[in-house]
Amino acid sequence: MTKISPSVLAADLSNLAAEVADIAAAGADMVHLDVMDGMFVPNITFGHPVISSLRRKSNMIFDVHLMIDAPERYAEQFIDAGADILTFHVEACKDPRSLLEVIRSRGVMAAVSVKPATPIEEVYPLLDSCDMVLVMTVEPGFGGQGLIPETLEKVRKLRAEIKKRGLELEIQVDGGITPDNASEAVSAGATILVAGSSVFRSNDRKRAIEALR
């Protein structure tokens, strides 16, 4: 079954613990925590202290997406803070295979991500070292954008490569995911849908999650 990971970019960050509890009750499979540094992407969100504080309030699966330069500098701090899944960008890391191995050695799901302009083939050499690939379906750094249709072709190519190799990897898509395009993303090969506005800004979050699924 398709998994739903609502992004807190669209949540009320002044009431984050309650917001995460609400989506858990509404049936979300995990919560997507976008970490931005103002360098790799233009915006700044929060760091590991916020995730550590939230961890004490929630048993949700923490799906932590590092949109930061040199993620190897901070990866273990985010693991210590409570990340269950840790994703970093291949564009931001000098030795992605080594970082994937570090993350896995800590018992955390390791994932790499690519921006819309990055060829999906850049992650192929890493597929045997990761548990998930995140295909950005918008430019990272801002919530509320519309899905870039061409990015779904990258999902199709990636799913075909994973199948050819006989691997079992999750494919996550992030950006502009709504009930109108969720089925197309899943048909392309996605198994985890990240959705911010379509969940957190809904008056009925349970129904919003069910509509995506």
Side-chain angles (χ1 to χ4, degrees):
M1 179 166 49
T2 304
K3 299 169 188 170
I4 309 300
S5 184
S7 169
V8 301
L9 276 184
D12 177 2
L13 294 177
S14 70
N15 201 20
L16 189 53
E19 290 279 74
V20 171
D22 192 55
I23 61 164
D29 299 282
M30 58 192 75
V31 59
H32 193 79
L33 299 163
D34 288 300
V35 177
M36 303 180 189
D37 65 354
M39 300 287 288
F40 181 70
V41 293
N43 283 334
I44 297 173
T45 53
F46 47 78
H48 55 85
V50 169
I51 293 174
S52 180
S53 295
L54 185 61
R55 179 82 284 172
R56 294 192 289 270
K57 301 284 187 179
S58 176
N59 293 320
M60 282 281 280
I61 294 172
F62 281 11
D63 173 24
V64 179
H65 179 189
L66 300 181
M67 288 180 268
I68 65 175
D69 277 334
E72 61 274 11
R73 294 180 299 167
Y74 302 107
E76 294 211 60
Q77 293 180 52
F78 283 98
I79 293 170
D80 291 339
D84 298 294
I85 304 169
L86 193 61
T87 302
F88 64 90
H89 277 260
V90 293
E91 303 94 345
C93 185
K94 292 181 180 178
D95 188 354
R97 183 179 295 276
S98 176
L99 182 52
L100 287 167
E101 291 171 357
V102 168
I103 296 169
R104 277 182 152 182
S105 74
R106 295 289 306 276
V108 171
M109 282 184 63
V112 291
S113 181
V114 290
K115 292 181 176 182
T118 302
I120 195 61
E121 289 81 5
E122 290 205 14
V123 305
Y124 287 4
L126 304 171
L127 292 180
D128 60 347
S129 296
C130 62
D131 304 296
M132 183 179 84
V133 176
L134 166 53
V135 177
M136 291 299 302
T137 45
V138 298
E139 286 297 330
F142 299 90
Q145 300 181 68
L147 180 143
I148 301 169
E150 294 79 10
T151 58
L152 295 184
E153 181 57 30
K154 294 167 69 172
V155 176
R156 293 185 190 95
K157 291 170 69 174
L158 176 61
R159 178 53 67 196
E161 183 69 16
I162 290 169
K163 184 177 180 181
K164 183 175 78 172
R165 298 193 191 189
L167 299 172
E168 295 289 335
L169 270 73
E170 303 272 17
I171 298 178
Q172 187 176 79
V173 289
D174 179 3
I177 303 298
T178 70
D180 293 331
N181 57 34
S183 61
E184 187 177 358
V186 172
S187 295
T191 55
I192 303 176
L193 307 180
V194 176
S197 301
S198 62
V199 173
F200 278 108
R201 294 179 185 169
S202 171
N203 292 325
D204 187 338
R205 291 170 176 177
K206 181 176 176 63
R207 180 173 293 180
I209 289 169
E210 290 172 349
L212 287 166
R213 189 173 279 128

